[in-house]
Amino acid sequence: MKIRVLLLDKESSKLYDLIGRPDCSNFYFILHKNTDVLDENENPIGFSYEPKTLLYLDSLMCTTPFDYIIASSESHIQFAGLLRMRYGLTSGINASISAYVSNKLAMRRRLKGNVPFPEFWNSGEFLERALSGNRDLLPDEVVIKPIYGSNSTGVVKKTLEEAVIYLKNNKGIYIVEEFLSVDVELHCDGYFVDESLEFFLVSRYARPWLKSGTLSNANIHLPMIDYRYNKAKKIVISVLKELGLKQGVFHIELFEKQGDLYFGEIAMRPGGGGITESISYFFNVDMWDIYVKLALSLDVNIKKPEIMDSSYCGLIGLSKKDSLKRHSLKLNPFFSKIITLRNNKENRSTGSLVYHEWMFFSCENENEVLNEFSRLT
């Protein structure tokens, strides 16, 4: 009998390809879509821990019991952890750890004192302080984020006065962070098994995501000699340890100010916006394949990739507007591949989902690609 797996499914062609490979031939995948359970108005309830959804999944567990759960998106990870707790499943991130890696407020409180990050408050605490006359103790500018979510969705930068008005008019629970005018935003990607890092890559963005101007951006993979590499690695190891994580694929956001690095947030899934494609192209590492194998307790049998000693590589993600300029960019010989994307979401004002094209590059120093990117702005 095949081993059953509940896949919280977002109709990902990449995942469909992976679970159809010979490595997964011993598994039977039960696809649970967010449209499987509807509310009284016939609207999808989605992947949420609500009575109708639990009744549906309890029925599945009774008739076709499953041993594993795979979350296909960051938004499903806590739900998957809660289901593992409900059904007594031991493989995968448990309920408490899934909260730490999904809920930004829980994440910060768990890590406080162990890694550096800006001061933060929950929205109710911040608003109470602001309205009680203690504004001198609050920063002049803040960043307000939903406690759940990925990319830059719902993230806004406000002055103190604007933040008070915003939180009065928006009653959800938010995390409010002191705004730091950062020099560089970075991300770290990799995977670890039995608490040992097997692949670790540090990259920087060409521009901070909240900075206005072009919607395009770039992921620049940094070599090991870069002064930020070991600093970032130290923070990442601390984060994984303090959150109680033993294995998995991670995408961790950091930022740099005056040479110091600060923690942003963690996601226990492969990075988006072309990051996984760039890692596959330059390092021959399929992060989604590793994600699925680790979720199913399979061995990851790949040759340990080598990070470049001194050169830089990565991709520039072009918005549809900026893609009109790619013909001049193509004149630079360090571009080796261009992919035109389909069905990119035009309504996104920020984040990597506005990309229309990916342009892969290799160069000797990061200023080369930054100079090319500056031509877009």
Side-chain angles (χ1 to χ4, degrees):
M1 181 183 294
K2 291 190 176 185
I3 302 168
R4 296 190 187 98
V5 182
L6 179 69
L7 175 61
L8 305 180
D9 180 30
K10 285 193 72 176
E11 300 184 346
S12 165
S13 58
K14 176 66 175 176
L15 277 180
Y16 289 165
D17 174 62
L18 290 172
I19 65 178
R21 292 181 181 179
D23 289 336
C24 295
S25 60
N26 291 328
F27 297 90
Y28 175 76
F29 292 88
I30 304 167
L31 305 185
H32 172 43
K33 301 181 183 296
N34 66 350
T35 55
D36 285 342
V37 183
L38 306 177
D39 63 17
E40 59 275 10
N41 297 316
E42 299 297 307
N43 296 314
I45 292 177
F47 303 112
S48 56
Y49 205 73
E50 295 190 9
K52 288 190 73 172
T53 304
L54 296 177
L55 184 65
Y56 174 84
L57 293 174
D58 286 352
S59 176
L60 271 181
M61 181 55 100
C62 289
T63 56
T64 52
F66 44 87
D67 298 297
Y68 294 91
I69 300 173
I70 295 180
S72 62
S73 169
E74 181 178 352
S75 60
H76 310 160
I77 286 177
Q78 186 168 9
F79 182 51
L82 291 168
L83 292 179
R84 294 187 189 103
M85 177 182 67
R86 183 177 182 86
Y87 301 129
L89 305 181
T90 57
S91 295
I93 298 173
N94 64 32
S96 59
I97 294 177
S98 70
Y100 296 144
V101 300
S102 303
N103 182 315
K104 295 178 175 63
L105 192 58
M107 184 190 302
R108 289 296 179 89
R109 286 179 169 164
R110 175 73 179 184
L111 293 173
K112 190 172 183 179
N114 294 294
V115 295
F117 47 70
E119 193 171 1
F120 69 96
W121 304 262
N122 71 51
S123 50
E125 177 187 24
F126 181 87
L127 192 56
E128 184 177 51
R129 288 192 182 189
L131 296 176
S132 65
N134 292 324
R135 295 193 180 190
D136 291 344
L137 303 177
L138 297 173
D140 294 329
E141 292 183 300
V142 297
V143 176
I144 302 173
K145 303 177 181 179
I147 59 174
Y148 292 102
S150 58
N151 298 305
S152 302
T153 306
V155 179
V156 293
K157 174 178 169 286
K158 301 287 184 182
T159 65
L160 177 55
E161 293 294 338
E162 291 169 342
V164 170
I165 296 170
Y166 183 88
L167 294 174
K168 282 182 177 180
N169 294 331
N170 295 271
K171 297 301 183 183
I173 303 298
Y174 299 89
I175 181 171
V176 183
E177 299 176 2
E178 176 187 8
F179 171 74
L180 295 182
S181 180
V182 303
D183 301 322
V184 176
E185 290 184 4
L186 305 104
H187 57 91
C188 304
D189 300 271
Y191 76 95
F192 59 112
V193 179
D194 296 327
E195 302 181 58
S196 174
L197 280 177
E198 298 297 317
F199 174 66
F200 178 72
L201 180 66
V202 184
S203 311
R204 63 158 293 178
Y205 295 109
R207 66 171 181 88
W209 277 112
L210 291 181
K211 184 178 180 181
S212 60
T214 178
L215 297 178
S216 301
N217 212 334
N219 295 300
I220 307 170
H221 307 316
L222 307 180
M224 289 191 291
I225 64 165
D226 190 281
Y227 70 93
R228 293 158 290 196
Y229 186 89
N230 287 326
K231 290 182 180 182
K233 190 173 185 179
K234 182 178 179 181
I235 291 176
V236 167
I237 290 172
S238 295
V239 167
L240 299 177
K241 178 182 177 182
E242 293 301 326
L243 294 180
L245 294 159
K246 305 298 182 183
Q247 69 176 31
V249 170
F250 61 84
H251 173 76
I252 295 178
E253 301 278 347
L254 306 177
F255 52 89
E256 178 186 7
K257 183 177 176 63
Q258 297 178 348
D260 294 323
L261 299 190
Y262 297 85
F263 173 75
E265 58 190 65
I266 180 174
M268 289 302 293
R269 46 82 179 159
I275 294 170
T276 54
E277 288 78 7
S278 186
I279 290 173
S280 176
Y281 180 67
F282 289 108
F283 304 102
N284 198 30
V285 176
D286 187 333
M287 299 300 287
W288 276 108
D289 180 56
I290 294 169
Y291 179 80
V292 170
K293 285 180 177 176
L294 291 178
L296 299 177
S297 302
L298 296 174
D299 290 333
V300 179
N301 295 316
I302 64 170
K303 181 181 178 182
K304 195 166 184 177
E306 295 183 2
I307 305 301
M308 55 280 180
D309 290 326
S310 58
S311 60
Y312 294 76
C313 59
L315 66 81
I316 291 178
L318 295 179
S319 68
K320 190 169 185 177
K321 177 182 176 182
D322 289 338
S323 69
L324 299 175
K325 306 175 186 177
R326 77 173 171 88
H327 298 290
S328 62
L329 294 180
K330 279 177 63 178
L331 297 175
N332 193 315
F334 70 39
F335 288 113
S336 56
K337 182 179 181 180
I338 297 175
I339 296 177
T340 300
L341 307 176
R342 304 299 179 192
N343 299 320
N344 61 314
K345 300 186 179 180
E346 304 277 347
N347 61 329
R348 288 291 302 273
S349 61
T350 61
S352 56
L353 291 183
V354 299
Y355 290 165
H356 183 70
E357 289 183 304
W358 294 330
M359 301 181 66
F360 297 83
F361 64 84
S362 300
C363 55
E364 293 302 314
N365 64 74
E366 68 182 295
N367 285 331
E368 285 185 67
V369 67
L370 291 174
N371 288 339
E372 285 295 294
F373 184 79
S374 68
R375 293 168 61 186
L376 300 173
T377 58

